[in-house]
Amino acid sequence: MATPAAAVVTLGGKGAALSPAAVYALSLGLAEPVIDPSALQRLSTRGPAPQETPASLRDLALAPLESRAAAAVLLNKLLITAGDSSALVTAATATRLAGSLDLSAALPPASRDEAAIAAASAPVAVAFAAAIDCCAAPLIRVVDAVAALSCEAARGDVAAFDVPTSGDGLSSKDESDVAADVKMLLFGSKLVSGAGGTSAASFTKVPTVNGIFREAVRALHVRVRIELNAPVKLGKRDAGETGEGKEEALVVLATQLARSVQAILKLSVARTRLCVGRIDDSELREKLTVGVDIDDLKGMLDKVMIDSDVVSVLRGVYNHLLKFRDILAWEAAIAMAAIEMDSSIEKPQAGGEDEAGSSTEKPQASEEKAKGDKKSKKKKTLGKGTSAILLLLRDHVTNGKEVLSVNSSQLAEWGTELSLLFDPKCARLESLVDKVKEIVESNEVRRLPKIPKGTRDFGKEQMAIRERAFSIITGVFKMHGAVALDTPVFELRETLMGKYGEDSKLIYDLADQGGELCSLRYDLTVPFARYVAMNNISSLKRYQIAKVYRRDNPSKGRYREFYQCDFDIAGVYETMEPDFEVIKVLTELLDQLDIGSYEIKLNHRKLLDGMLEICGVPPEKFRTVCSSIDKLDKQTFEQVKKELVDEKGISNETAEMIGNLVKTRGPPLEVLLELRKEGSKFLGNNGSVVALNELEILFRALDKANAVGKIIFDLSLARGLDYYTGVIYEAVFKGTTQVGSIAAGGRYDNLVGMFSGKQVPAVGVSLGIERVFTIMEQQKEKNQVTQATTEVLVSIIGKDLILAAELVSELWNAGIKAEFKLTTRISNHLKYANQSGIPWMVLVGESEISSGNVKLKNMISTQEEEVGRTEFVQVLKERLRNS
């Protein structure tokens, strides 16, 4: 953002990256390029074999600064491409470019590879884009600061920046961030309290317009960073077309930024007029009324963008950005003047209590003034942030001198000085941007921190329940021979997309860091399938307990970050062999967790597809209709039918047939018998027959394992995820706590093959442990004081840490869970042990020290006994073993 402090920019070094700020500094001659010695060694010493100059670099009319920037970009591309591949780049070309920083020094190219790199890297377009990026990036903070200053000067209404966040992914983060930042700058202001404040559109639109500007700057920055530092991949692709594609992408992003700048310009001019209106000096106010014609600026921009070549468009956007800087500086100057000339405002002074805090006036000369005039009106103060910004700007334009009066020529000078301040080549710009960032990140508006919606903290009582549950779950998984697996918390976005049907919209995408597009994992099943495919595994029984993330609407028992406990079996087995074991594992988990009554709804995807085929649903609509049917546990059939007819294009008759069939549910073997009766429509559908045969094997196996009693055969169970291919199931809690589904799973035979082409059938179950925890925490018997993990408290009646260390270390060495406490009050020791549920205490006071004994206290029975100092560990081990 700011010009590099060093006078040289090293290019081609391993791990080095060329920044837009470095390109800007090189173009202005504020820094000189130096080729890294290691990069120079990789270049060819062969003589030149001149090639035709790429079309995009012919007949260019570039200013010296533009040519220097383009030369720097091309030089860096030549060096990093030579280091990344065996591209033939001559040392002569590189040294000429570094010595002159003139684009013509690289033309004509000395080899075919140089020509291809020059064509594909689009150095001129990238250079312009880097300059635009460098100049625009610091303005992200500046535009917010100037808007806040104008809000103070014009007595705006701070309510204009009340932008609620919906928490459902349907509100703009940049918009809400701008609003929060401006409010932070205005925090503490007595001028914008809202009573009679100006609620003009030029303030209410700030969050939206400035937010769009942030998005545009960020999008361009990401692209520029890639284009500056990604090596050119030489091969079959046409280099010229590759370069043209990059130019078009940069033009699109740059023009989007220019449009957002135009929107801010309109608001800036409107705010400037409001500030002018607050100036009491009528003569000065009249002189300042003549302003910029925004329509003229828009016309100039439109003219550049229509039917212009790439260089003209990017140059036009850059010049528009410079004009924007001037107008923004003029707004800041007018706002400063309005504040300085307003006698009702208390002006911040350097060296006061806190430059970003409360401000103080200079003491009055007379004693009467020092005491104050009781009849005089109390002056109003600026916000803490705007006070600090005003001090910085005032110090820059006046060189630290006091402002005694303001006139039009002085304002013109202020505008010029501030425009120079907003230029990245000004060293003081970084201080201004850092100050704004420091203020908005100080969190003073919201004194106490909070956690995001859909997340939770867990105290010791909750953690005790969770640890117990995880121990039970892990034990069940291991009892069935499963091995543990861990996968990254985020995956490549392409790995996750297309696996979850309509739920794909709930995937959290991570901000692009200039490389791979990644997303937080939505579940543990797809990462498991990716792992199996990537490692060419043909058989694996695994479990995984880890957090997953969904951009869902938080509700009771529904979170955005939560644990899943997965058990999966991958490989080829006998029919229903792994399906039986997975469902048996699920029943064992829910039984051992002792949560109360539950049922496991079960269906078969082939049976479901057969049902839809029987009803006349086209095959291409199976998945989308299933996602509607899957809502029957939360909605009435009439609501689902409306969705099927109005949104999914299903006829009324078909919807009614579906409604009649999905009502079928009951004990597995009874429903199975009903579906296989003579005349059943399912018997005429091949897929349904296969499903019914498989389900008979499964139900009989579960019956022999005493697990079928918890199963309900339910034709309305659809499971909206796309990857299921066979048996599907969902466990539902039947108690008073309404949490919905607590576990779900099914067979997914094609998921692994989606990654590798090699089909590895698999089946699994995922326990929604967070909902189980909600049940456990609300059960009366589980809400009692939880037994502490600590078994013994070593209580030293005094402050002897040396003695405590000796005693507690003996317990630790013996494998006894122990804590120690130092205090002279025995009541504090007893209180801590009782509150923490610690069953045993080792009490050591003066009498115990003198006798060489320790006192053991059973906190449950309250009995006490003295034992020898050398025996207490063994005695405690026996007591704990017998308790």
Side-chain angles (χ1 to χ4, degrees):
M1 182 179 67
T3 303
V8 293
V9 174
T10 302
L11 301 176
K14 189 175 183 180
L18 181 62
S19 68
V23 174
Y24 191 67
L26 289 167
S27 71
L28 295 171
L30 300 174
E32 294 298 329
V34 172
I35 300 175
D36 186 90
S38 64
L40 202 55
Q41 291 175 0
R42 294 190 290 266
L43 303 181
S44 172
T45 56
R46 287 172 51 179
Q51 304 291 313
E52 186 178 359
T53 298
S56 60
L57 300 182
R58 294 180 209 151
D59 304 322
L60 292 173
L62 299 179
L65 299 184
E66 297 167 349
S67 181
R68 285 176 63 87
V73 171
L74 179 56
L75 174 57
N76 190 58
K77 280 289 190 177
L78 290 169
L79 295 173
I80 59 178
T81 303
D84 180 68
S85 64
S86 57
L88 197 158
V89 176
T90 64
T93 300
T95 51
R96 275 201 314 274
L97 268 176
S100 64
L101 264 194
D102 185 343
L103 188 59
S104 62
L107 305 174
S111 71
R112 282 189 299 177
D113 286 348
E114 283 186 17
I117 294 169
S121 58
V124 178
V126 173
F128 272 111
I132 295 168
D133 180 17
C134 181
C135 293
L139 295 183
I140 284 177
R141 297 290 185 185
V142 174
V143 292
D144 294 345
V146 173
L149 206 60
S150 290
C151 192
E152 296 273 30
R155 308 294 178 96
D157 186 354
V158 72
F161 308 107
D162 289 339
V163 177
T165 54
S166 65
D168 57 5
L170 299 179
S171 60
S172 168
K173 182 180 184 301
D174 287 305
E175 183 177 344
S176 56
D177 284 350
V178 169
D181 289 354
V182 176
K183 286 179 73 174
M184 189 67 247
L185 290 166
L186 295 170
F187 179 68
S189 170
K190 302 301 181 184
L191 299 172
V192 296
S193 58
T198 304
S199 57
S202 53
F203 293 123
T204 56
K205 290 181 179 179
V206 165
T208 302
V209 174
N210 288 20
I212 293 295
F213 177 62
R214 286 191 181 192
E215 287 182 30
V217 173
R218 185 169 58 248
L220 179 65
H221 175 73
V222 169
R223 187 75 196 190
V224 168
R225 181 183 170 197
I226 293 170
E227 299 303 345
L228 285 176
N229 298 291
V232 174
K233 299 298 182 183
L234 301 175
K236 295 180 180 179
R237 295 175 65 189
D238 183 272
E241 291 179 1
T242 300
E244 288 173 9
K246 292 178 179 181
E247 289 174 343
E248 290 171 4
L250 291 171
V251 165
V252 168
L253 294 170
T255 51
Q256 285 176 345
L257 190 149
R259 294 297 184 196
S260 68
V261 164
Q262 186 68 27
I264 296 180
L265 274 173
K266 289 178 66 176
L267 298 187
S268 178
V269 170
R271 290 194 301 264
T272 302
R273 289 171 181 157
L274 289 175
C275 293
V276 168
R278 298 295 305 186
I279 296 176
D280 291 332
D281 188 330
S282 59
E283 184 179 347
L284 177 59
R285 190 169 64 243
E286 187 175 346
K287 289 181 180 179
L288 298 177
T289 302
V290 180
V292 180
D293 191 330
I294 288 297
D295 291 334
D296 287 347
L297 282 174
K298 183 177 183 296
M300 290 167 55
L301 183 64
D302 289 342
K303 187 177 180 181
V304 168
M305 291 184 180
I306 297 173
D307 297 328
S308 295
D309 60 272
V310 170
V311 172
S312 297
V313 172
L314 294 175
R315 184 185 284 131
V317 172
Y318 178 71
N319 291 331
H320 194 65
L321 190 61
L322 299 187
K323 188 64 179 175
F324 167 53
R325 208 161 62 193
D326 292 339
I327 293 174
L328 191 65
W330 182 241
E331 179 190 354
I334 297 294
M336 286 172 59
I339 293 171
E340 294 290 350
M341 298 175 72
D342 192 332
S343 59
S344 69
I345 298 176
E346 187 177 356
K347 314 301 185 300
Q349 300 295 330
E353 180 184 331
D354 184 348
E355 287 191 3
S358 60
S359 55
T360 57
E361 287 277 12
K362 290 186 177 180
Q364 301 294 328
S366 65
E367 189 176 336
E368 289 79 10
K369 288 284 184 183
K371 291 179 181 178
D373 186 351
K374 292 182 180 178
K375 295 181 181 180
S376 65
K377 194 173 182 180
K378 187 176 179 181
K379 292 190 176 184
K380 293 189 175 182
T381 56
L382 301 171
K384 292 188 175 185
T386 43
S387 293
I389 301 303
L390 181 63
L391 279 170
L392 278 171
L393 299 184
R394 183 207 291 159
D395 182 60
H396 181 76
V397 299
T398 66
N399 291 319
K401 296 177 183 177
E402 185 178 0
V403 178
L404 300 175
S405 62
V406 180
N407 55 48
S408 58
S409 61
Q410 193 175 15
L411 269 175
E413 291 177 8
W414 284 10
T416 301
E417 288 297 323
L418 290 176
S419 183
L420 293 173
L421 171 63
F422 298 162
D423 189 328
K425 68 184 177 186
C426 179
R428 299 184 72 176
L429 176 60
E430 186 171 12
S431 298
L432 172 62
V433 172
D434 287 346
K435 189 65 180 178
V436 177
K437 189 176 180 182
E438 175 192 332
I439 294 165
V440 300
E441 292 179 356
S442 64
N443 199 32
E444 203 162 353
V445 171
R446 189 180 71 235
R447 298 299 177 96
L448 290 175
K450 66 176 186 178
I451 59 175
K453 293 178 181 178
T455 62
R456 291 189 295 171
D457 290 322
F458 300 99
K460 61 181 182 180
E461 292 84 3
Q462 292 168 307
M463 285 306 300
I465 294 173
R466 294 167 79 85
E467 287 174 351
R468 172 180 166 271
F470 283 141
S471 176
I472 291 171
I473 293 165
T474 303
V476 171
F477 289 160
K478 288 184 175 180
M479 184 174 68
H480 285 261
V483 295
L485 176 68
D486 192 23
T487 56
V489 74
F490 55 90
E491 297 272 351
L492 291 177
R493 192 169 189 272
E494 64 192 45
T495 299
L496 304 182
M497 298 311 293
K499 314 298 189 305
Y500 304 105
E502 295 182 5
D503 282 350
S504 292
K505 63 189 177 184
L506 302 181
I507 293 174
Y508 269 112
D509 292 330
L510 299 180
D512 180 20
Q513 300 298 319
E516 300 167 324
L517 293 176
C518 298
S519 301
L520 294 179
R521 62 189 175 204
Y522 177 89
D523 65 6
L524 301 178
T525 305
V526 170
F528 169 61
R530 188 265 309 153
Y531 173 83
V532 171
M534 195 174 80
N535 292 279
N536 196 27
I537 295 170
S538 58
S539 178
L540 179 65
K541 184 187 291 186
R542 84 87 170 86
Y543 74 89
Q544 184 174 358
I545 299 175
K547 288 183 177 180
V548 298
Y549 300 86
R550 297 184 184 178
R551 203 178 63 189
D552 211 342
N553 284 319
S555 60
K556 188 172 183 179
R558 185 184 292 273
Y559 303 97
R560 290 177 168 175
E561 177 195 61
F562 55 94
Y563 273 99
Q564 280 191 342
C565 304
D566 277 26
F567 177 89
D568 292 81
I569 302 174
V572 178
Y573 296 88
E574 293 298 322
T575 302
M576 293 291 105
E577 178 185 347
D579 307 70
F580 156 72
E581 185 171 12
V582 169
I583 296 172
K584 177 61 176 170
V585 163
L586 176 57
T587 62
E588 290 174 3
L589 286 175
L590 298 178
D591 287 342
Q592 292 192 33
L593 288 168
D594 194 24
I595 60 171
S597 178
Y598 68 89
E599 70 177 21
I600 299 173
K601 297 190 292 183
L602 187 146
N603 200 356
H604 198 296
R605 204 62 184 260
K606 290 178 182 177
L607 189 65
L608 191 61
D609 289 350
M611 178 187 75
L612 297 180
E613 188 177 334
I614 290 166
C615 294
V617 176
E620 64 272 15
K621 291 189 176 183
F622 281 5
R623 294 291 80 86
T624 187
V625 170
C626 282
S627 68
S628 297
I629 295 173
D630 198 38
K631 299 174 183 176
L632 281 170
D633 60 336
K634 306 179 189 71
Q635 299 178 5
T636 65
F637 178 70
E638 287 305 314
Q639 291 173 305
V640 172
K641 178 185 173 183
K642 188 174 188 303
E643 180 179 307
L644 288 171
V645 174
D646 295 348
E647 298 178 26
K648 304 294 175 70
I650 302 300
S651 68
N652 263 308
E653 290 181 0
T654 298
E656 285 294 342
M657 288 180 67
I658 292 172
N660 291 330
L661 289 176
V662 295
K663 294 175 184 176
T664 306
R665 76 187 305 269
L669 293 170
E670 292 180 16
V671 174
L672 183 67
L673 190 62
E674 180 70 23
L675 296 179
R676 299 177 86 171
K677 271 185 178 179
E678 187 176 346
S680 171
K681 294 180 180 180
F682 287 100
L683 297 180
N685 181 274
N686 292 335
S688 298
V689 172
V690 171
L692 292 171
N693 290 337
E694 290 181 352
L695 289 174
E696 181 181 10
I697 296 170
L698 175 64
F699 293 153
R700 293 194 182 281
L702 289 170
D703 186 33
K704 291 297 181 182
N706 297 317
V708 79
K710 298 290 187 180
I711 311 297
I712 296 294
F713 192 174
D714 189 340
L715 288 191
S716 71
L717 179 67
R719 301 291 295 145
L721 302 183
D722 279 359
Y723 52 68
Y724 288 124
T725 58
V727 175
I728 51 176
Y729 31 85
E730 182 176 277
V732 179
F733 180 60
K734 303 297 288 182
T736 55
T737 305
Q738 298 299 312
V739 294
S741 169
I742 54 176
R747 173 165 285 279
Y748 49 98
D749 286 347
N750 301 327
L751 186 56
V752 176
M754 293 175 71
F755 295 112
S756 65
K758 175 186 174 182
Q759 298 295 352
V760 179
V763 62
V765 66
S766 179
L767 180 67
I769 191 64
E770 300 294 346
R771 296 182 179 184
V772 172
F773 288 147
T774 300
I775 298 166
M776 296 174 73
E777 288 165 8
Q778 292 187 7
Q779 286 176 335
K780 186 175 180 180
E781 63 272 20
K782 299 291 192 299
N783 283 337
Q784 297 172 355
V785 177
T786 307
Q787 180 68 41
T789 56
T790 303
E791 297 171 311
V792 179
L793 175 66
V794 176
S795 297
I796 306 299
I797 317 301
K799 300 179 180 180
D800 192 343
L801 175 60
I802 310 303
L803 177 60
E806 181 183 0
L807 295 176
V808 78
S809 293
E810 290 184 31
L811 293 171
W812 289 335
N813 292 338
I816 295 174
K817 301 181 185 72
E819 295 181 53
F820 67 92
K821 191 171 182 63
L822 307 176
T823 177
T824 55
R825 294 192 173 187
I826 192 169
S827 60
N828 289 348
H829 290 282
L830 295 170
K831 182 179 179 181
Y832 181 79
N834 280 319
Q835 288 181 340
S836 302
I838 301 174
W840 285 90
M841 292 179 68
V842 176
L843 294 157
V844 183
E846 290 182 3
S847 61
E848 285 79 18
I849 293 172
S850 60
S851 66
N853 294 329
V854 299
K855 185 179 291 183
L856 305 184
K857 181 177 180 68
N858 185 319
M859 296 301 296
I860 298 172
S861 67
T862 70
Q863 292 181 340
E864 297 179 357
E865 62 177 311
E866 282 200 9
V867 299
R869 167 71 183 74
T870 58
E871 306 165 1
F872 86 104
V873 174
Q874 190 59 39
V875 172
L876 274 172
K877 287 180 76 172
E878 293 176 6
R879 299 285 190 274
L880 290 168
R881 191 162 45 244
N882 295 330
S883 61

